[in-house]
Each structure stands twice: as structure tokens, then as C-alpha cells.
Amino acid sequence: MWAALASVAFIVVQVGIFLAWPPPRDSRGFFELLLDNPVLGVVALDGLYILSNLLAFLLYLALAVALWRVSRSAVVIALAFGVLGMAAYMASPRPVEMLSLATAYGQASDAERVALIAVGDGMLATWTGTAFDVYYFFNLATLLIFAILMFRTPVFRRSTAIFGLIAAALMAVPSNFGMAGVVFALLSLVPWAVFAVLVARDLRRLVAPSERGAVNAPGRGG
């Protein structure tokens, strides 16, 4: 539950920083940003989004437990997509590599800087390359399966499942697909955030009776 809310908080912070300080468009800009403000540079390279995704995966694990009795096979498939997609994503960001290159860039000669910029351009290309798209589509599959399963259990409210479906639909266009991808990515964050909050609410409602039962249960006498 708390993982869902923390994931939303990280997303809000990441989007706020993105709007206030748009990320550079090339490796030279990232190098200069990392040298001037390393923290902001790492955030611009999806530093917070890495943490947000880890928390989102914990949310998926909680959903897997809650939906296990609905369809074990579907839950296993959803988790398989989730694990593979998350592994693909964790292989794509390059904040540490870019920070290392920026440090070298700051100490390099003009000729060396040309070579470092070329390396940085390659890093940025792999950041939003094949692994990133695999993560996007596999995450879509995971969310779609879980949202469909939610309609088949009273544990989750219908509104929760609907927001999950909307978020999954908006993930059909990865953020690296030009301006359309950026628009879809930003739009998908709204239903995803609502979905995460609703999931936290529904899971809280699910565990609340057991917590009350534990508190009210008579203790064992010695």
C-alpha cells in the first residue's frame, strides 16, 4: 500500500522537475548540467523514475497476492511480463555512466571532448532504445492483465480496474515515439497515479478486518 503511494509521490516530483527544468536535448547539455548540478542531472536522467518503478513492482507483487485466487495462471503470466519488463528497464537508464563521462568531459581537451560527446550520444540512444520499449510494452501487458482480473473479484472496486485499463491503453505508445509518445506518456501518468492510490485504498480495506481481528483477539494466558 505504502509502495503505491510512494511511487505516486516520486512521479509527481519527477514530473514537477521535468516541467520546471526541462532536460537537455543532447549529451553535451547533459554533461554541462551534470557538472553544474549533479543531483538535477541524475534526476533528469530518470534517477527518481528508477525508484518509482521499483515501488511500482512492489505494487504488482501485492496485486499478484490479492488476485492469486482469481486466476493463478494469469497472475503468473502478468508477473512474468512484469519481471522481464522491469529487468529490461533497469538495464536502460544511464545516470551513473553519464555522470562518469561528464566528469571526464570537464577535465578533457577540446579533441577529447568530441570523442566523449559521441560516447554520450550512444549512451542516450541506448537509454531509450530497445530495452526501454520492451519495458514499456511488457509493463502494459502486466497492468492490462491485472486490471482485467480485478473485474472478477470483489476485493477491488470497478473504478480501480477502469483506471488501470485507461493507464494501460495510454502506455501503447512509448515515450520515445516522438512528440506523440511524450504526450501519451504524460497522459498515462494521471490514470496510473489514480490507479495506484485506489489500489492502496482497496488493499487497505482488505487488510483492515484482519488487523482489527488481531487487535481484538483474546491473548493467551500463561
Side-chain angles (χ1 to χ4, degrees):
M1 293 178 293
W2 294 112
L5 300 178
S7 175
V8 173
F10 276 122
I11 290 175
V12 171
V13 173
Q14 179 86 48
V15 172
I17 293 175
F18 175 83
L19 295 176
W21 296 281
R25 295 181 176 273
D26 53 26
S27 57
R28 184 196 298 271
F30 273 110
F31 289 164
E32 294 174 353
L33 176 60
L34 287 164
L35 291 173
D36 182 60
N37 191 330
V39 174
L40 184 58
V42 169
V43 172
L45 288 162
D46 275 1
L48 289 180
Y49 199 53
I50 294 174
L51 298 176
S52 175
N53 267 332
L54 288 174
L55 293 170
F57 185 70
L58 295 178
L59 173 63
Y60 287 154
L61 291 179
L63 289 176
V65 174
L67 296 169
W68 182 251
R69 293 184 179 181
V70 178
S71 176
R72 296 182 180 182
S73 58
V75 167
V76 170
I77 293 173
L79 279 182
F81 277 118
V83 170
L84 292 174
M86 194 60 61
Y89 175 77
M90 291 304 167
S92 63
R94 296 289 185 265
V96 175
E97 293 88 342
M98 291 295 289
L99 182 59
S100 177
L101 289 172
T103 302
Y105 178 85
Q107 303 170 352
S109 63
D110 291 341
E112 291 171 334
R113 286 186 172 186
V114 173
L116 289 170
I117 289 173
V119 175
D121 288 341
M123 289 291 177
L124 294 180
T126 57
W127 173 25
T128 55
T130 303
F132 184 83
D133 288 339
V134 168
Y135 146 75
Y136 231 88
F137 291 123
F138 279 21
N139 191 52
L140 182 159
T142 300
L143 184 56
L144 181 63
I145 293 171
F146 280 144
I148 292 174
L149 292 179
M150 287 179 179
F151 285 107
R152 298 169 54 185
T153 174
V155 171
F156 297 98
R157 303 182 188 186
R158 186 178 180 85
S159 57
T160 306
I162 291 174
F163 275 103
L165 289 178
I166 295 173
L170 292 174
M171 290 178 183
V173 182
S175 60
N176 59 348
F177 279 34
M179 183 54 65
V182 174
V183 172
F184 270 79
L186 291 176
L187 290 177
S188 69
L189 294 177
V190 176
W192 162 256
V194 176
F195 171 76
V197 172
L198 293 179
V199 167
R201 179 199 63 181
D202 292 343
L203 290 178
R204 178 62 183 174
R205 183 167 50 89
L206 177 64
V207 301
S210 60
E211 290 180 352
R212 288 195 296 268
V215 171
N216 296 329
R220 295 184 179 182

